[in-house]
Each structure stands twice: as C-alpha cells, then as structure tokens.
Amino acid sequence: MIFEVIQIIAEQVNNYLEEIGLEKSVVPENIALLESQNDEVAKALKNNIALTLINLDEETTLKNFPNHVIENNKTIYKNSVINLNLYLLFSANKDFYINSLSYISLIIAFFQGKKLFTQANTIFNRNNVAMANIDNFRFTVELYTPTFEELNYIWGTLGGKQFPSALYKVSMIQIERNIPQGEGQLISKIKGITKRKEQS
C-alpha cells in the first residue's frame, strides 16, 4: 500500500497543478539520486518536484488491537494489522529558485484544502495494474515541521544539497497479509445452572 499511496498523492497534486494552469511536475522519485549517473532518473528530476519517501514508522497506539473475522460460523484469528505513518518529502528542483518556492507554496495550499483522502473523495488512475485492486482506503496528510537539526540530518543523508521543500506525514496506512493464525468455533450457547438467590 506504500507505493499506491504515493501514486495517489502524486496524481492528486498533479491534477491540482493542471487545474490552475501549470504543468504536472510531481514525480515519485528519490531526490538523493539527482546527482547519480542514472540518466533516466536525472531526466525525470530535471525541472520537476521529487516526491520521496524518507521514513516510516508504526503507529504503536493501535498495535495491540485484536484482529479476527467471522467466516462460516468460525472465528478466524490473524496477526495484528500494521498501521504505518509515512514521511514524504516534496523537493522542488525547478530551473529557477523562485519557481521552486512558488511550487512548494502551491503544494502547501493544496494540502491545506485537502487533508483527508478516501476512495469516495479521490479519483485516481486505475489503468495502472498495481492500482487496479485498491478498493477502500483512508489516510490523512499533515505538514510536518522538522527542527533545524533534523532538517540538516535529512539533507545530509540525501546528499547534502538542499532544495526548497515541504515534509508531510501521511497517517494510518494499513498493511495486512491474509494469513490466518488460528481459528475457533463461535460460542452459540452458554450451558449452566442459574440459581436464584434467596432474599433474607
């Protein structure tokens, strides 16, 4: 679901840019590869905005929720669903610095207007084979502001060259494999003797 979420976000921002008369510029790509010898990556990042996954973490508050379903009068037990938070970095590599700043401002404006993404309020390209099986999804996108120290570490890890950018936290991406861990019969009756307590 990580790939699918990034694709949906890239499409949504690009559609917004197109609606306001600008070129679709957001490409899911690793900004750290900008200076690499890979010509295809360099071409994809030229005069564009890179959307890069820089970190993820598990939402531990939901880690211990039981996970089971009832099928054919049986209770199927599974491992707990993994709920992830993704940290996505938009890095503007436009030809002119002022244009990079303008695009980052527009991205911030887009997410100010739309923070919640669901299958009901989001249209995306289902022609991509990897996206064809997505049915229900729900996630939120919020601006995440790192400290100067964290920002320095992020760009140091990505190669040292800093671009106008905005970092977002995408919350509650669910990952689950359909592997049963056990099953049990449903409890349909409770057998026992009920005694009436005499009043004194």
Side-chain angles (χ1 to χ4, degrees):
M1 193 62 188
I2 295 174
F3 165 78
E4 291 86 346
V5 167
I6 292 174
Q7 282 291 114
I8 288 170
I9 289 174
E11 279 189 37
Q12 289 284 290
V13 177
N14 278 328
N15 290 342
Y16 168 72
L17 293 175
E18 192 174 49
E19 285 172 10
I20 61 176
L22 298 173
E23 291 183 355
K24 295 182 176 182
S25 298
V26 177
V27 290
E29 191 57 79
N30 187 354
I31 190 65
L33 299 178
L34 180 64
E35 304 294 335
S36 72
Q37 301 301 314
N38 189 322
D39 293 337
E40 288 186 16
V41 174
K43 185 178 179 181
L45 292 174
K46 182 176 173 56
N47 200 32
N48 277 326
I49 300 158
L51 176 55
T52 307
L53 173 67
I54 63 167
N55 196 15
L56 56 82
D57 64 34
E58 184 177 4
E59 187 64 49
T60 55
T61 55
L62 301 176
K63 189 172 183 177
N64 295 321
F65 273 55
N67 184 20
H68 59 270
V69 294
I70 297 174
E71 295 177 359
N72 301 322
N73 293 325
K74 289 184 178 180
T75 304
I76 310 296
Y77 299 95
K78 302 178 183 179
N79 286 335
S80 298
V81 175
I82 295 178
N83 296 280
L84 292 178
N85 299 314
L86 309 181
Y87 295 84
L88 302 180
L89 182 69
F90 288 88
S91 309
N93 183 37
K94 289 294 184 179
D95 290 339
F96 298 100
Y97 182 71
I98 192 168
N99 291 344
S100 293
L101 294 176
S102 296
Y103 271 85
I104 291 299
S105 295
L106 291 171
I107 289 169
I108 293 171
F110 169 74
F111 287 115
Q112 185 277 329
K114 183 174 183 178
K115 294 183 177 182
L116 175 65
F117 292 76
T118 68
Q119 73 280 1
N121 72 2
T122 304
I123 299 173
F124 60 94
N125 180 14
R126 290 180 177 269
N127 293 329
N128 187 330
V129 176
M131 306 291 285
N133 295 324
I134 297 179
D135 291 321
N136 296 323
F137 62 86
R138 178 187 176 90
F139 59 86
T140 59
V141 181
E142 295 183 359
L143 187 64
Y144 181 86
T145 308
T147 64
F148 281 107
E149 184 179 353
E150 290 172 331
L151 194 62
N152 182 57
Y153 180 79
I154 288 169
W155 285 108
T157 303
L158 294 174
K161 187 176 181 181
Q162 187 170 345
F163 295 90
S165 60
L167 180 59
Y168 281 87
K169 179 181 179 180
V170 182
S171 298
M172 306 312 293
I173 310 304
Q174 292 193 339
I175 305 289
E176 179 184 15
R177 292 177 66 194
N178 190 22
I179 300 178
Q181 298 299 314
E183 61 181 52
Q185 296 293 329
L186 286 178
I187 298 173
S188 57
K189 293 182 181 178
I190 299 177
K191 293 183 178 180
I193 300 172
T194 305
K195 292 184 179 180
R196 183 177 177 184
K197 186 177 180 182
E198 297 293 336
Q199 303 241 348
S200 55

